[in-house]
Amino acid sequence: GQQVMQIPQYQHVQEGEDFTTYCNSSTTLSNIQWYKQRPGGHPVFLIQLVKSGEVKKQKRLTFQFGEAKKNSSLHITATQTTDVGTYFCAGKTSYDKVIFGPGTSLSVIP
Amino acid sequence: NAGVTQTPKFRVLKTGQSMTLLCAQDMNHEYMYWYRQDPGMGLRLIHYSVGEGTTAKGEVPDGYNVSRLKKQNFLLGLESAAPSQTSVYFCASRENLGTSSNQPQHFGDGTRLSIL
């Protein structure tokens, strides 16, 4: 079946270091969304990418959508303790289904 | 606006008991979803609804039933709870602007359910 995978599953970084999580789909996606879930909280929408090769930035966060629309990445520059949480990608397939990846859990060591 | 409200926030059940989780949204969204979240497995879709009076199965529907009698409410039922259903349950809703769109999902705070 259609799958969306994310790597790594966990990442521990020193505050100030950069962080990247990768999202890979087994099929071409029509668009991809990213969500952040703080510990004990609920997922919160961050951004949506639609176009092949699209790059969007939100302050220290950079989101990319691959040329083949089968992968995406989220890069955080100079992590802060407020970046702690789990980052999920959610891809929309050609069958109008939205599939969430398993998430990457980020810990930031002060 | 309250957004998406889930009740209850916590519940402990014994095996075999039944219960209903309530999700209410005040954003007039067409689509509503029920997910369960287990450690290391992300969000898995249980059931969803694309409008009042309609429901459909998701990835892990067994052991659950749902109803969408009113547009603003989406109920998740466990007829005979099992320990494997211990999880955090999230409800979400989103607008429908056509099949080509994918509007962001708005999540509730979750219901933490333990089955003993």
Side-chain angles (χ1 to χ4, degrees), chain B residues 93-108:
Chain B
S93 71
R94 72 169 179 93
E95 287 183 280
N96 176 28
L97 299 181
T99 54
S100 62
S101 75
N102 185 22
Q103 297 306 105
Q105 293 187 32
H106 299 258
F107 286 81

Side-chain angles (χ1 to χ4, degrees), chain A residues 6-13 17-23 34 60 62-64 72-79 87 104-106:
Chain A
Q6 283 184 254
I7 53 171
Q9 186 176 2
Y10 301 97
Q11 184 81 58
H12 305 276
V13 299
E17 290 182 340
D18 291 356
F19 159 77
T20 304
T21 174
Y22 299 91
C23 178
W34 285 91
R60 294 178 295 104
T62 302
F63 303 84
Q64 291 188 327
S72 180
S73 65
L74 158 59
H75 179 82
I76 302 178
T77 303
T79 54
Y87 293 85
T104 294
S105 179
L106 173 63

Side-chain angles (χ1 to χ4, degrees), chain A residues 31 33 35 37 40 42 48 92, chain B residues 37 99 101-102 105 108-109:
Chain A
N31 57 56
Q33 296 173 340
Y35 292 79
Q37 183 178 21
H42 59 270
Q48 176 167 285
K92 185 178 181 187
Chain B
Q37 184 174 40
T99 54
S101 75
N102 185 22
Q105 293 187 32
D109 289 337

